[in-house]
Amino acid sequence: MSKLGNIGARLYRGEVGYDFIGKRKIWYGLSILITITAIVGLAVRGLNMGIEFSGGAVFTTPGTSVSASEAQHKAESASGGHQAVVQKLGSSALRIQISGLDTKQAVPVQEELAKDLNIPVKDVNTQLVGPSWGEQIAYKAWLGLGIFMVLVVLYLAIAFEWRMALAALVALIHDLTITVGVYALVGFEVTPGTVIGLLTILGYSLYDTVVVFDSLKEASKDITKQTRFTYSEIANRSINSTLVRSINTTVVALLPVAGLLFVGGGVLGAGMLNDISLALFVGLAAGAYSSIFIATPLVAELKSREPQMKALTKRVQAKRASAAAKEANQEGPQDEVDAEDADGAAVVGPRQQPASRNRGRGRPSGKRR
């Protein structure tokens, strides 16, 4: 068995473990700090909305020797200062997106671009995207997200309990906020591919959370009938028992996504891959973090406030205090005997019995044979 597999087996059996629940305030503080940073970035820089949401024109050119940066400068100059996004297609073709252009403005910009790039006007393909279409896409995305959240809460409340449903909802909002904040800080363009990526990471995040919740549900069955562990300790054991599995699942999922983001998007220059892969990469990492450090500790904290769990905690603590006192009382007399024996004092009990037996054997019987 590998070293990681051996550690996973020991974590599953409860032989080793880390106190995730006991240090939950540290994780809460770290998450709050990251979330505040994401919100500040979103408020200051805002999201770079793609042309599908803001409206504008897309110009596709055939092969040209003009670089992407030079084409961007020419496109912004031709459009009168509108923001332009240029992407390389294949070896030398260009895709130029200019936001905020209407039908009347698109034709002069097309002619100016063709002139600046030394390309015939008829070879420059133009597509117009109205802002109303982007509003419909945004509305449907928010509607789908809302329906998903409601269904998730209902399912978890029925399959588990409302506290787990609330904790999972907080974890999902945590993941979405961090991912959107990273988009604002990095400045990546928000496209329909981004929306697809955001909806996808919700499923991954929920999967890790449900795995831990399922283990916790099984381990806490009839918990009030025992006095060995509190609910928080059982929750901590559940996290540790599924820790290696969560790490392996997340790493395996992140590797191909990292390939899309850093190789496909960074090296090959595939812009659409950036939109999806960044959302997936950040969301998967945040989802694994939230399922371990946010969702389960939050459930443990909510459950520990129940009267039954408070009474269980008192019984467990009383039993442990009684066991500790009993052990201390048992060790006390033995220490005193050992101390007397070491000082050469008289030893009572079984150690005098051999001397008594020897005197019995040496006493005359009173009869001579």
Side-chain angles (χ1 to χ4, degrees), residues 116 215 263 300 320:
D116 293 339
S215 175
V263 178
R320 291 175 182 175

Side-chain angles (χ1 to χ4, degrees), residues 57 59 74-75 77-80 98 101-116 121 124 126 128:
F59 303 96
K74 292 180 180 297
S77 177
S79 61
I98 304 178
L101 292 183
D102 55 21
T103 306
K104 295 181 180 179
Q105 295 173 320
V107 175
V109 171
Q110 178 186 9
E111 294 174 351
E112 188 69 21
L113 280 175
K115 179 180 178 182
D116 293 339
V121 177
V124 179
T126 304
L128 295 175

Side-chain angles (χ1 to χ4, degrees), residues 255-320:
L255 287 176
V257 174
L260 288 175
L261 178 61
F262 299 108
V263 178
V267 178
L268 301 180
M272 183 61 69
L273 293 179
N274 286 336
D275 305 334
I276 300 176
S277 58
L278 180 63
L280 290 176
F281 188 85
V282 177
L284 286 174
Y289 173 84
S290 64
S291 63
I292 297 172
F293 297 97
I294 302 299
T296 308
L298 184 57
V299 170
E301 187 170 358
L302 293 174
K303 288 288 291 184
S304 298
R305 297 178 182 180
E306 290 185 351
Q308 293 180 346
M309 298 305 161
K310 289 182 178 180
L312 173 63
T313 302
K314 291 181 180 179
R315 293 198 304 269
V316 171
Q317 291 175 350
K319 182 178 179 181
R320 291 175 182 175

